[in-house]
Amino acid sequence: WYSQRLAQGRAPRRMSQSVYFSGWGAVFFATVLAAALLTWHQCTKSNDLAPGQHGANSDFKAFQRAYLIVYYLAMLADWLQGPYVYALYESYGFSSHDIAVLFVGGFGSSMLFGTFAGAAADRVGRKACGMLYVVLYIASCMTKHFKDYSWLMLGRVLGGIATSLLFSTFESWLVCEHNARGYDASWISRTFSLAYFGNSVAAIVAGMMAEAAAELKALTPIAEGGAGEGTTSLLYYGGFTAPFDLSMSVLAVLGVALMCLWNENYGTTSSATMSASEELWKALRALSRDKAILLLGTAISLFEGSMYVFVFKWTPTLTPGEVKPPYGLIFSTFMVCAMCGSSLFGILASASVRAEKILQFVFVIAAVALALPAVSSSVSINFICFLAFEACVGVYFPAMGMLKSQLVPEEVRATVYNIFRVPLNLIVLGVLLNSLSQFQAFAACGTMLAVAALCLWQLGKMHTHGYTVRSGMHTTAEDPAMSALPSRRFEPTQMLDAVDEDGAPRTP
């Protein structure tokens, strides 16, 4: 979810020790202390689990480990590539415009093919599509060795499809398997909190590993593009290609872990007999007929769209003059703030605070945090706002994962997750294709986050008034695709009570 955070910057330089004794360093150590305290508090509050429906706590913890090992490896492989994508393209001599088109190709392929990739995950299996993620991302990494625009564009397209699988298949497997094994519904919040906390750790570790790999050997040609004088090398190794080789190694380990630790699960048993277009149509019908899912998807697209705008704009916003701040240390501070947010979610979830209630506050805080830089030229104020936003991001992902697990029907889960990413990718493409000023970018972010907050407020009203949240409601005999989707409502500790079709409360 931050794989392009350093994309438009240059390769990070090694930080001098004096940076840690500056104001930037003081903030970094303060956030580390806050993360340690929150993590300790979370651990002391959630050491013991209540007895489960099926199996002891050790069974759940073994299941949790199986998911987290795979998830951490998948995210580590993704993070290893982020910091050096732009730097590699630039080292091959491509212009800023050419590089921007490559990024458009990646996000465009994610938007066009990602929805069908999600349908495939529901139809052929989440584990199988996890393996497809490994294969596609390895192929994408291999293309980085070619100083050829066509090969690099192919790599971006493959990487876009792989990214869609990453952000839908793995979470879909977790939710389906958690429910199938009969674990308490509230326990999944612990897994989401650990997953996104570890994701931030993986980002920091990956940055250090990628830098070390890139400095082992200079970028070196190993094949010629043709005969005669003046020909340029076509194939390279070392330098900025090394992090991608390291990512391929992690992906290979991920493939082995997937085969050994995960079993297969599907949307439904009938999904295997449906075509991808039928699966997509079924998901679209569920989205159009369930107000809660539509509100959820809108909030997701707007928040994550704002996050990507922030990704592209934080570097120039914190660099108003010629003196460049320590980007690597700032990036690490952002990740530590996200860890604080993940731990905070774990604490709130253990106190039985509903996910949509948490997100209402998160979206309001995030809206203020990204609206202020639209009118502020102070680096200090903008930096504080960005830290607050990163903490919101840390809360957002596990909380939204929890909410999606409650709202989205299992039959089309991965497909719906990828439909949510279509407007997100449109927002990203809009940012890439237009040169937005600082005011325009952050004013847009503040507006999008305010609308997202209204969506979550509406979900809160649905809880208060007891509206039904069901996929497939008002189905008819002429609508067999929707009749296959069961009615659902939240558990009493989660969100909504069911009501009759006329709006009267339904007796559980």
Side-chain angles (χ1 to χ4, degrees):
W1 42 278
Y2 275 123
S3 60
Q4 307 303 334
R5 178 181 291 281
L6 298 180
Q8 78 279 28
R10 301 301 185 262
R13 296 185 177 92
R14 186 179 298 278
M15 291 179 291
S16 64
Q17 293 182 354
S18 61
V19 170
Y20 291 100
F21 297 99
S22 66
W24 302 103
V27 174
F28 171 73
F29 288 117
T31 56
V32 169
L33 178 60
L37 291 174
L38 286 169
T39 304
W40 174 81
H41 183 69
Q42 180 188 8
C43 292
T44 57
K45 291 292 184 181
S46 58
N47 281 333
D48 299 320
L49 293 173
Q53 292 176 309
H54 303 291
N57 292 347
S58 59
D59 295 330
F60 172 72
K61 290 179 179 177
F63 159 74
Q64 196 177 59
R65 282 194 299 271
Y67 172 74
L68 291 175
I69 289 172
V70 169
Y71 178 79
Y72 291 158
L73 288 170
M75 295 309 301
L76 179 62
D78 184 54
W79 277 113
L80 281 167
Q81 301 179 41
Y84 286 95
V85 177
Y86 191 105
L88 177 64
Y89 295 157
E90 188 179 50
S91 68
Y92 283 153
F94 295 110
S95 67
S96 297
H97 176 267
D98 291 336
I99 296 172
V101 173
L102 286 171
F103 280 105
V104 168
F107 285 107
S109 71
S110 179
M111 181 178 65
L112 293 175
F113 302 117
T115 308
F116 293 97
D122 290 326
R123 185 163 51 94
V124 305
R126 281 73 182 264
K127 177 181 177 179
C129 282
M131 293 300 299
L132 180 60
Y133 162 77
V134 171
V135 173
L136 290 177
Y137 231 5
I138 287 178
S140 176
C141 289
M142 292 176 66
T143 64
K144 300 298 188 293
H145 288 277
F146 290 86
K147 186 182 177 180
D148 180 86
Y149 200 79
S150 299
W151 280 102
L152 294 175
M153 180 59 78
L154 174 62
R156 293 298 301 172
V157 171
L158 295 176
I161 301 172
T163 300
S164 294
L165 291 171
L166 173 63
F167 292 116
S168 59
T169 297
F170 292 83
E171 187 175 317
S172 297
W173 183 92
L174 168 66
V175 175
C176 180
E177 199 66 22
H178 183 101
N179 294 332
R181 298 191 185 201
Y183 296 129
D184 189 285
S186 64
W187 291 4
I188 200 170
S189 65
R190 305 173 190 273
T191 308
F192 279 127
S193 180
L194 288 172
Y196 292 108
F197 182 92
N199 178 47
S200 299
V201 176
I204 298 172
V205 172
M208 294 186 292
M209 292 173 62
E211 182 177 5
E215 292 182 349
L216 285 176
K217 185 177 179 61
L219 191 65
T220 306
I222 58 176
E224 297 298 325
E229 295 183 2
T231 58
T232 58
S233 299
L234 177 66
L235 204 59
Y236 286 77
Y237 73 98
F240 297 148
T241 67
F244 298 93
D245 295 334
L246 190 57
S247 179
M248 284 193 283
S249 301
V250 174
L251 287 165
V253 176
L254 169 61
V256 175
L258 270 169
M259 290 187 291
C260 296
L261 297 176
W262 281 19
N263 57 286
E264 189 61 275
N265 67 43
Y266 305 86
T268 60
T269 54
S270 63
S271 295
T273 62
M274 298 176 63
S275 67
S277 59
E278 290 173 330
E279 194 79 20
L280 178 59
W281 176 249
K282 186 176 178 181
L284 289 172
R285 296 286 285 180
L287 189 65
S288 65
R289 288 173 177 257
D290 194 323
K291 181 180 180 181
I293 299 179
L294 189 59
L295 288 170
L296 183 75
T298 302
I300 289 172
S301 297
L302 293 175
F303 184 93
E304 296 185 21
S306 299
M307 185 185 71
Y308 273 103
V309 175
F310 164 75
V311 166
F312 292 121
K313 289 296 182 179
W314 74 262
T315 301
T317 302
L318 296 182
T319 317
E322 293 296 326
V323 179
K324 295 183 178 181
Y327 297 127
L329 185 60
I330 292 173
F331 174 74
S332 298
T333 307
F334 286 165
M335 291 297 95
V336 176
C337 285
M339 292 163 61
C340 291
S342 299
S343 296
L344 180 60
F345 167 77
I347 295 169
L348 295 173
S350 64
S352 300
V353 182
R354 297 194 309 272
E356 90 284 0
K357 182 64 69 176
I358 295 172
L359 287 170
Q360 287 176 27
F361 287 101
V362 165
F363 285 2
V364 170
I365 296 171
V368 175
L370 289 193
L372 282 177
V375 295
S376 171
S377 58
S378 169
V379 172
S380 299
I381 292 176
N382 292 338
F383 183 50
I384 293 171
C385 289
F386 292 164
L387 295 179
F389 178 73
E390 284 290 353
C392 290
V393 170
V395 178
Y396 164 82
F397 277 101
M400 188 56 76
M402 184 75 176
L403 198 54
K404 287 189 293 185
S405 73
Q406 298 165 356
L407 279 171
V408 180
E410 189 60 54
E411 294 82 2
V412 288
R413 182 176 300 280
T415 308
V416 170
Y417 283 8
N418 273 302
I419 291 174
F420 290 165
R421 293 183 60 83
V422 172
L424 162 64
N425 283 304
L426 285 173
I427 293 172
V428 174
L429 290 174
V431 174
L432 286 173
L433 295 173
N434 294 279
S435 180
L436 300 180
S437 66
Q438 179 176 326
F439 172 78
Q440 292 172 326
F442 289 109
C445 287
T447 302
M448 289 191 291
L449 290 168
V451 175
L454 289 175
C455 291
L456 266 295
W457 176 74
Q458 184 63 34
L459 277 177
K461 284 182 61 178
M462 293 175 69
H463 167 77
T464 301
H465 296 289
Y467 293 165
T468 293
V469 177
R470 296 183 298 161
S471 293
M473 62 188 304
H474 307 301
T475 56
T476 64
E478 292 77 26
D479 191 9
M482 286 303 298
S483 63
L485 293 172
S487 298
R488 314 178 329 283
R489 65 182 177 88
F490 289 107
E491 296 298 328
T493 58
Q494 294 171 355
M495 270 188 68
L496 306 179
D497 297 318
V499 296
D500 291 322
E501 301 253 344
D502 59 2
R506 185 194 305 274
T507 302

